[in-house]
Amino acid sequence: MSRRGLALFLLLGVVWGVPYLLIKYANASFSPVVLVCLRTLIGGLVLLPFAMRERALRPLLAAWPWVLAYTVIEIVIPWLSLTHAEHVISSGLAALLIAATPVVGAILSRLTGRDEEFGAAGTAGLALGLGGVTLLVWR
């Protein structure tokens, strides 16, 4: 791996992990609904200029019912569930559960017959990633 690749990988890890630390502290001040709304608003405001620059909003408006359904299923329900759960479980366990998402995706892909070919390197990458998160959150 190049130095640049390693630096970007480490940066991604920090950027990906810091929100869970912040959520832990935000949970003490905000209800799950308010916290999810704030997270979504901030994310939307960050991405809005990029969508406007690419003129990607008009096609989304034409398909608004599908966008709304996707948003509820993929963002609102999981984020509300996770934010509520973090009142009971640790941020480390929450991070570990989220890190398992690619593994669950690979298993579901296999079970539904949509077998993804990622070979030994892909399997090793999934195991290494999940193992790394496990090591980081181990108490």
Side-chain angles (χ1 to χ4, degrees), residues 10-122:
L10 292 174
L11 178 64
L12 176 66
V14 170
V15 169
W16 200 290
V18 166
Y20 296 100
L21 176 64
L22 297 176
I23 289 169
K24 178 180 181 177
Y25 293 106
N27 265 337
S29 302
F30 300 106
S31 72
V33 172
V34 170
L35 192 54
V36 169
C37 288
L38 286 172
R39 287 177 69 190
T40 306
L41 178 65
I42 292 167
L45 290 174
V46 167
L47 294 174
L48 185 61
F50 297 102
M52 290 172 65
R53 186 184 73 204
E54 298 295 321
R55 301 180 199 269
L57 293 178
R58 190 170 303 272
L60 286 178
L61 292 175
W64 74 266
W66 292 107
V67 173
L68 180 63
Y70 177 84
T71 302
V72 169
I73 293 167
E74 290 291 329
I75 296 173
V76 174
I77 293 172
W79 282 11
L80 276 175
S81 300
L82 180 64
T83 305
H84 178 71
E86 283 197 40
H87 285 280
V88 180
I89 64 174
S90 69
S91 290
L93 179 57
L96 186 58
L97 292 171
I98 290 170
T101 301
V103 176
V104 172
I107 291 168
L108 289 175
S109 173
R110 208 170 273 278
L111 290 175
T112 59
R114 299 191 63 155
D115 205 11
E116 299 288 331
E117 289 295 327
F118 49 89

